[in-house]
Amino acid sequence: MLIILYPVIVILTFLSMEAITWCTHKYIMHGFLWYLHEDHHQPKYQGVFEKNDWFFVIFAIPSILLFWYGVIPNINYLFFIGFGILCYGLTYFLIHDVLIHQRFKWFKKTKNKYLIGLRKAHKIHHKHLGKEDGECFGMLYVPYKYFKNQLV
């Protein structure tokens, strides 16, 4: 039974992370921790790292703790929740930092309609340089309107 339950926990955790990311981005990153996120909304990066990168550390802490407590005394469901968070974090990194912001020049061009829609939605999010009036706070869910012009 656990062999079925654990992958389900990973998948459900991964999917729920999109809602958690949306809420965290809108109410925390564009709220009381704006001072860490603000430099991310500036047109050009000042260096290799930005203050916004601290959010990778902040979000890694629960995953690490869940891994730790997920093997004490034996492997348990907490480990797989931590693994779901890790999988979402890796996906976020690849989509956000590699594909969208091109911080690493791995995937310069794509013809994938979903990925193009992701880029458009994130570009709309970044047109607002301040913390107010933002939109498209999630990462993997993109409203339909960003795909409309692509459909043939």
Side-chain angles (χ1 to χ4, degrees):
M1 179 67 177
L2 293 178
I3 201 154
I4 295 169
L5 181 62
Y6 288 156
V8 169
I9 289 173
V10 172
I11 292 166
L12 290 175
T13 301
F14 181 93
L15 293 174
S16 67
M17 284 304 297
E18 181 68 7
I20 292 167
T21 297
W22 188 94
C23 291
T24 303
H25 191 176
K26 181 171 176 98
Y27 297 111
I28 295 175
M29 296 167 88
H30 281 253
F32 68 93
L33 287 181
W34 173 250
Y35 69 94
L36 286 178
H37 188 59
E38 182 178 16
D39 64 344
H40 182 65
H41 279 264
Q42 301 312 308
K44 296 283 182 192
Y45 294 124
Q46 300 301 317
V48 175
F49 294 105
E50 52 189 47
K51 288 187 286 185
N52 186 68
D53 293 332
W54 278 106
F55 287 108
F56 283 108
V57 175
I58 292 168
F59 288 126
I61 291 170
S63 184
I64 292 166
L65 289 173
L66 286 162
F67 277 127
W68 177 261
Y69 290 109
V71 294
I72 298 173
N74 297 312
I75 197 158
N76 61 64
Y77 72 97
L78 295 175
F79 178 88
F80 295 96
I81 294 172
F83 187 65
I85 295 170
L86 172 67
C87 290
Y88 187 87
L90 291 172
T91 303
Y92 189 97
F93 168 75
L94 289 172
I95 296 293
H96 184 262
D97 287 296
V98 176
L99 182 76
I100 293 173
H101 286 290
Q102 302 280 309
R103 287 176 77 180
F104 302 90
K105 310 295 184 201
W106 297 342
F107 307 107
K108 293 272 307 175
K109 297 179 183 180
T110 183
K111 303 240 188 255
N112 182 287
K113 291 178 182 186
Y114 171 72
L115 297 178
I116 292 169
L118 272 176
R119 277 186 173 162
K120 283 182 182 179
H122 203 74
K123 190 173 215 172
I124 293 299
H125 176 75
H126 275 271
K127 80 176 184 178
H128 303 286
L129 298 180
K131 70 180 192 176
E132 289 84 19
D133 302 322
E135 54 187 295
C136 298
F137 289 97
M139 180 50 48
L140 301 177
Y141 169 75
V142 179
Y144 175 73
K145 66 182 180 179
Y146 298 104
F147 299 107
K148 278 196 267 188
N149 297 336
Q150 297 182 58
L151 299 177
V152 178

